[in-house]
């Protein structure tokens, strides 16, 4: 028994190392699946197109602003607010400030508020 | 190296090794196996938690993203998955605007998973995924519904979503299933709140008592209600109350 050849013991040691390595690799893969899921959910939840649609609708409203009658102006705003709540589930409001002189052009600040329970978006855009 | 090998016996060595092996097997059978079984049922419940969140996301697509129909394949193991129709469920949410003019009960219905070996019960009720332990008080919310309060405008708005689950028959399944659901109808109510107070009362249904989970959600930071009595909650400073009710039909599981 004392004279056994022990030259091959490194194979057993390597086997142990590979097993430990695989264990940690499995842990990392498991975590990455979780990270991917939450990231994908975050991207899906963000209402990028809803906000884009809303902005374009608001800019359309201000393009026609001069030609609208005094009653149509608040009615248009009310329509956009109602449709946003009904279809996009978002509390939306927008209003304009007094026009300002910015680098040689007269621009009107428009404040936009959007909140759908997950994403809150506030913007002041000079249009 | 010179070692005296006179006392080395192959038979005794064999008996010793065999003894160690048999003791090892015995220990594993005694202590290891029950742990394995328990771990298996824990894994089943944890998988079901994720599955329920997947179904909740499907319901969100039906309600918030104008998707008319959804089908999800899922694996239910170590327990039973059932659908309870809103009218049979018994659970409802009562909403009032603080006056006698508006006071309404919204029935909700539920999807429930009950574990066979463990005590975990997971329920999807009114868009929230919640877990509790059978025969024990208390519950926790795993995924929240999307109620919200917006106070950044002159008209402070409180939005309540109601997800009503309907089915034609009683349904329960385990193993591989496919949940087929569609949005039947949706209704938006906009209620003025003259006194500024909105009161919500939660009554639990037949899948168990989830009042603790709802209490923690409603009194938390996103909704910010105050508890006035057991299962009664009040929100101050509201000018407009919006209630969106979605009727989701489960065709088959």
């Amino acid at each position: 028994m004392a004279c056994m050849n022990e030259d091959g013991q490194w194979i057993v040691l390597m086997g142990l190392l590979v097993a430990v390595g695989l264990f940690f690799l499995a842990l990392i893969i498991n975590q990455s699946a979780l990270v991917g899921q939450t990231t994908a959910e975050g991207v899906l939840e963000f209402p990028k197109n809803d906000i884009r649609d809303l902005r374009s609708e608001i800019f359309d409203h201000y393009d026609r602003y001069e030609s609208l009658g005094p009653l149509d102006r608040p009615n248009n705003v009310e329509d956009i607010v109602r449709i946003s709540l009904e279809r996009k589930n978002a509390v939306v409001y927008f209003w304009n400030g007094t026009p300002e002189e910015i680098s040689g052009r007269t621009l009107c600040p428009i404040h936009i508020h959007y909140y759908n329970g997950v994403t809150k978006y506030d913007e002041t855009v000079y249009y | 190296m010179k070692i005296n090998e006179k006392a080395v016996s192959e038979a005794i060595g064999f008996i010793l090794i065999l003894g160690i092996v048999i003791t090892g097997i015995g220990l594993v059978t005694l202590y290891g196996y029950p742990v394995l079984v328990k771990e298996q049922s824990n894994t089943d419940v944890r998988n079901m938690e994720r599955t329920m969140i997947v179904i909740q996301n499907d319901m969100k697509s039906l309600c918030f993203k104008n998707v008319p129909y959804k089908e999800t394949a899922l694996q239910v193991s170590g327990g039973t998955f059932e659908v309870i129709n809103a009218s049979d469920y018994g659970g409802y949410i009562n909403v009032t605007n603080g006056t006698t003019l508006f006071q309404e009960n919204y029935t909700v219905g539920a999807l429930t998973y009950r574990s066979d070996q463990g005590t975990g019960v997971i329920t999807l009720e009114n868009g929230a995924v919640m877990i509790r332990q059978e025969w024990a008080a208390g519950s926790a919310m795993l995924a929240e519904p999307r109620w919200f309060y917006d106070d950044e405008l002159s008209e402070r708005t409180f939005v309540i979503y109601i997800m009503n689950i309907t089915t034609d028959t009683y349904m329960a399944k385990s193993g591989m299933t496919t949940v087929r659901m569609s949005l039947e109808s949706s209704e938006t109510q906009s209620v003025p709140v003259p006194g500024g107070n909105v009161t919500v009362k939660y009554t639990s249904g037949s899948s168990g008592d989830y009042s603790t989970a709802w209490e923690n959600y409603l009194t938390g930071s996103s909704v910010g209600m105050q508890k006035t009595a057991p299962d009664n909650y009040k929100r101050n400073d509201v000018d407009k109350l919006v209630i969106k009710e979605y009727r989701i039909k489960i065709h088959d599981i």
Side-chain angles (χ1 to χ4, degrees):
Chain A
M1 275 182 111
C3 302
M4 267 164 70
N5 184 0
E6 296 174 355
D7 282 354
Q9 281 194 357
W10 63 274
I11 297 178
V12 181
L13 197 70
M14 285 302 130
L16 186 76
L17 280 181
V18 168
V20 171
L22 277 178
F23 177 74
F24 280 106
L25 216 62
L27 272 185
I28 291 166
I29 289 170
N30 202 5
Q31 291 301 314
S32 74
L34 274 179
V35 170
Q37 190 190 350
T38 40
T39 316
E41 275 172 6
V43 171
L44 279 177
E45 286 290 340
F46 187 75
K48 185 177 75 180
N49 289 324
D50 292 358
I51 292 174
R52 212 176 263 171
D53 289 349
L54 175 73
R55 285 180 95 239
S56 103
E57 210 54 54
I58 290 170
F59 294 155
D60 280 353
H61 168 73
Y62 282 106
D63 281 340
R64 286 180 281 122
Y65 200 71
E66 295 301 325
S67 62
L68 292 171
L71 264 179
D72 287 338
R73 287 176 185 174
N75 283 354
N76 263 7
V77 176
E78 182 70 9
D79 282 352
I80 292 174
V81 168
R82 272 173 192 244
I83 289 170
S84 297
L85 187 64
E86 178 68 39
R87 301 216 181 128
K88 307 288 184 192
N89 299 299
V91 173
V92 158
Y93 203 73
F94 61 97
W95 65 98
N96 55 324
T98 46
E100 292 170 34
E101 197 77 30
I102 292 163
S103 45
R105 294 172 64 199
T106 313
L107 295 172
C108 179
I110 304 169
H111 306 275
I112 302 172
H113 173 78
Y114 176 100
Y115 186 36
N116 70 351
V118 181
T119 308
K120 196 177 264 182
Y121 176 85
D122 284 283
E123 185 189 17
T124 303
V125 59
Y126 286 86
Y127 187 69
Chain B
M1 215 155 84
K2 207 168 181 200
I3 297 170
N4 189 353
E5 295 183 359
K6 268 183 185 168
V8 174
S9 156
E10 213 167 283
I12 291 175
F14 179 78
I15 290 167
L16 276 175
I17 299 288
L18 190 75
I20 291 168
V21 168
I22 289 176
T23 319
I25 293 173
L27 279 175
V28 166
T29 325
L30 257 174
Y31 297 107
Y33 188 64
V35 171
L36 277 178
V37 169
K38 195 164 177 284
E39 203 47 55
Q40 180 65 46
S41 79
N42 277 347
T43 312
D44 287 341
V45 171
R46 206 153 308 142
N47 281 337
M48 209 54 212
E49 284 176 9
R50 288 191 192 172
T51 311
M52 280 291 198
I53 292 174
V54 169
I55 302 174
Q56 185 214 28
N57 276 325
D58 285 350
M59 280 192 180
K60 277 188 189 165
S61 327
L62 287 181
C63 298
F64 306 139
K65 292 186 181 154
N66 303 321
V67 179
Y69 182 80
K70 267 276 183 186
E71 221 175 71
T72 322
L74 50 104
Q75 167 89 39
V76 182
S77 44
T80 322
F81 179 65
E82 61 175 320
V83 183
I84 311 166
N85 192 18
S87 57
D88 304 320
Y89 186 54
Y92 61 89
I93 291 168
N94 177 284
V95 184
T96 62
N97 69 346
T99 66
T100 48
L101 293 171
F102 181 79
Q103 189 158 22
E104 214 153 326
N105 287 339
Y106 294 96
T107 53
V108 286
L111 298 175
T112 299
Y113 167 82
R114 283 172 209 277
S115 173
D116 281 342
Q117 279 132 6
T119 51
V121 182
I122 306 167
T123 295
L124 177 74
E125 176 191 90
N126 194 33
V129 181
M130 293 167 293
I131 188 164
R132 71 182 178 90
Q133 299 298 316
E134 196 94 74
W135 324 121
S139 49
M141 202 170 265
L142 298 170
E144 296 181 340
R146 206 193 270 185
W147 294 23
F148 66 94
Y149 172 70
D150 187 28
D151 61 349
E152 296 197 2
L153 298 173
S154 55
E155 190 178 49
R156 291 160 298 186
T157 316
F158 184 29
V159 182
I160 291 178
Y161 291 107
I162 303 286
M163 291 184 192
N164 178 308
I165 292 171
T166 55
T167 55
D168 289 332
T169 49
Y170 294 99
M171 286 186 275
K173 264 238 176 110
S174 54
M176 278 302 290
T177 67
T178 308
V179 178
R180 297 171 223 275
M181 54 191 174
S182 65
L183 183 67
E184 283 243 297
S185 62
S186 69
E187 204 180 307
T188 309
Q189 268 177 300
S190 192
V191 184
V193 188
N197 289 334
V198 171
T199 312
V200 169
K201 182 175 188 259
Y202 168 76
T203 306
S204 52
S206 59
S207 70
D209 179 18
Y210 289 98
S211 49
T212 314
W214 279 106
E215 180 185 332
N216 288 335
Y217 172 66
L218 293 175
T219 56
S221 58
S222 58
V223 186
M225 299 187 94
Q226 286 148 13
K227 190 177 181 181
T228 50
D231 294 328
N232 279 273
Y233 307 94
K234 193 174 82 175
R235 168 84 242 186
N236 299 323
D237 307 326
V238 182
D239 298 309
K240 189 166 95 177
L241 169 68
V242 177
I243 301 169
K244 300 204 79 169
E245 192 182 10
Y246 297 95
R247 204 157 286 117
I248 296 162
K249 182 158 188 183
I250 311 277
H251 297 271
D252 190 24
I253 58 169

